[in-house]
Amino acid sequence: QVHLVESGGGLVQAGGSLRLSCVVSGGILRIDVMAWYRQAPGKQRELVAAISSGGSTNYADSVKGRFTISRDNAKNTVYLQMNSLKPEDTAVYYCNARVLSFRSSWENYWGQGTQVTVSS
């Protein structure tokens, strides 16, 4: 069974930084795209950033220049470095990964989410 576990969320003042981590585990053969999404209260879940297995990245316009996504393929881990945080970045952040496992063909998996709160 594939599991994604996020960590690193919390409360930070505007202008501050946080680093999110997400570890993928459980019978993994390969991981393709890894991504971070977020969902604020009353809003739809939106893509924040994504990174391919080869390291290509893309970002939502709202976070370009402030957030950086990276991955460590040896550790099956994806990171999101968030700098210059704004109150509008407040949301639950979810990790997503497209995984090929021993038990299944390619599937998308989600983490449980980690809360990021930015105070003004």
Side-chain angles (χ1 to χ4, degrees), residues 11-16 38 40-41 43 66-67 84-91 93 115-120:
L11 173 64
V12 65
Q13 289 188 332
R38 68 186 180 187
K43 295 188 177 181
R66 300 188 298 121
F67 291 9
S84 302
L85 283 160
K86 304 175 181 181
E88 51 263 43
D89 295 318
T90 296
Y93 284 70
Q115 176 70 45
V116 171
T117 303
V118 184
S119 63
S120 58

Side-chain angles (χ1 to χ4, degrees), residues 6 20 22 35-39 45 92-96 110-114:
E6 301 111 331
L20 305 183
C22 173
W36 289 96
Y37 287 74
R38 68 186 180 187
Q39 187 167 19
R45 190 172 297 189
V92 178
Y93 284 70
Y94 296 91
C95 176
N96 175 274
W110 292 92
Q112 81 285 356
T114 185

